[in-house]
Amino acid sequence: MSSLGEGRFHTVDVAKITSGPRRATFLTSDGVRIEALFEPCSAGPADTAIVVAHGFTGSVDRPAVRRAARAFARYAAVVTFSFRGHGRSGGRSTVGDREVLDLAAAVEWARSLGHGRVVTVGFSMGGSVVLRHAALYGSQMHEGRTEARTDAVVSVSAPARWYYRGTAPMRRLHWVVTRPTGRLVGRYGFRTRIHHRDWDPVPLSPVESVPLIAPTPLLIVHGDSDPYFPLDHPRMLAAAAGEGAAELWLEPGMGHAENAADEALLRRLGDWLTAG
């Protein structure tokens, strides 16, 4: 077994002894170390790679993330990673702001492995990040498209706007993020290290991002039993994208994010992501 350095990417190369997953670490553009896992497509070589962005307090090794990765690996290669402040990644969580840099680095890493088509799917906080990433690294914000771009994007259980406190789970989350005692609970109870500074400036919101995503294909998915964000959030996102610019799936009986995504939904997402 050998270690390969690829600029900002450091990969444990196990290709000579197994065709299975490989662990890696890479640096974001602001110097944060991110842990990641690459899994080849179980059906054989694939040009498409699916990059999965987990929700707040998740990580690359959480059971729901691993379940999603296994489902998606039937359709494409899969990259999972831990956002800053989560798992074994460095830094502290900014709850959706600088996490865009983590996703951009993961997409670049997937392309560096030879995948010509890279798509993103995010859940909850990760759902807001994939929207902002698609806007900030897409053709509308750059004269030329960058290696960090996504070729299609799926946002699951994402908020439309910042600072939402309309449900009890979101009021609890804001306590965790904004209070010193809450951040201690986040660190030791949820293994999530949260930055103590407020956003300055406030980042582009999800609903402000979606009009900038076209012509990249966009799918918005939300459960009608989501305890965090009611249905006005996905509807607001779809409306902001413009007529015909986004698909909207409202899932009957579904709760919140990757924990609530069943096998049938994951298969449908895999089909959609690899249809292009």
Side-chain angles (χ1 to χ4, degrees):
M1 184 179 296
S2 62
S3 295
L4 299 180
E6 303 176 23
R8 291 190 294 116
F9 308 124
H10 179 81
T11 304
V12 178
D13 183 10
V14 295
K16 294 181 180 179
I17 58 175
T18 178
S19 59
R22 73 176 72 171
R23 295 271 178 177
T25 59
F26 49 77
L27 292 178
T28 65
S29 62
D30 63 342
V32 176
R33 178 185 52 80
I34 300 297
E35 67 163 343
L37 177 64
F38 170 82
E39 297 171 80
C41 177
S42 58
D47 185 55
T48 297
I50 299 173
V51 180
V52 180
H54 62 74
F56 185 62
T57 75
S59 75
V60 67
D61 290 318
R62 287 293 175 91
V65 176
R66 300 270 38 88
R67 180 169 55 86
R70 288 193 299 271
F72 293 148
R74 300 170 189 154
Y75 301 87
V78 179
V79 170
T80 48
F81 67 97
S82 296
F83 280 121
R84 62 184 64 205
H86 294 72
R88 288 181 289 274
S89 290
R92 295 184 182 183
S93 175
T94 63
V95 199
D97 179 11
R98 299 189 72 80
E99 282 75 11
V100 169
L101 304 179
D102 308 345
L103 179 58
V107 170
E108 287 182 318
W109 182 54
R111 292 195 188 279
S112 79
L113 297 175
H115 295 282
R117 184 173 182 271
V118 180
V119 298
T120 55
V121 54
F123 298 89
S124 191
M125 181 187 78
S128 69
V129 172
V130 297
L131 294 174
R132 297 184 58 242
H133 167 266
L136 295 171
Y137 290 86
S139 57
Q140 290 196 41
M141 298 291 281
H142 293 270
E143 291 183 5
R145 290 166 64 85
T146 74
E147 288 303 296
R149 73 189 185 276
T150 183
D151 293 299
V153 56
V154 175
S155 177
V156 183
S157 303
R161 53 197 185 272
W162 300 140
Y163 304 112
Y164 177 72
R165 292 177 171 86
T167 58
M170 285 306 298
R171 289 190 288 274
R172 290 193 293 269
L173 186 147
H174 277 87
W175 178 82
V176 168
V177 170
T178 62
R179 301 297 180 88
T181 303
R183 289 191 290 271
L184 285 174
V185 171
R187 184 181 186 95
Y188 296 107
F190 299 106
R191 293 178 289 176
T192 301
R193 304 173 306 281
I194 304 164
H195 209 293
H196 67 279
R197 294 176 184 165
D198 293 336
W199 286 337
D200 185 20
V202 175
L204 192 72
S205 72
V207 75
E208 293 169 324
S209 300
V210 289
L212 304 174
I213 293 174
T216 302
L218 169 62
L219 171 62
I220 297 163
V221 181
H222 211 91
D224 67 2
S225 299
D226 191 314
Y228 286 81
F229 305 113
L231 291 178
D232 64 307
H233 286 260
R235 288 170 175 154
M236 183 181 295
L237 291 171
E243 186 174 358
E247 290 186 49
L248 174 61
W249 295 357
L250 298 180
E251 298 297 305
M254 179 184 169
H256 187 67
E258 57 262 54
N259 290 320
D262 62 19
E263 291 294 325
L265 175 59
L266 294 172
R267 287 194 297 270
R268 288 165 55 209
L269 295 179
D271 281 330
W272 191 93
L273 285 162
T274 53

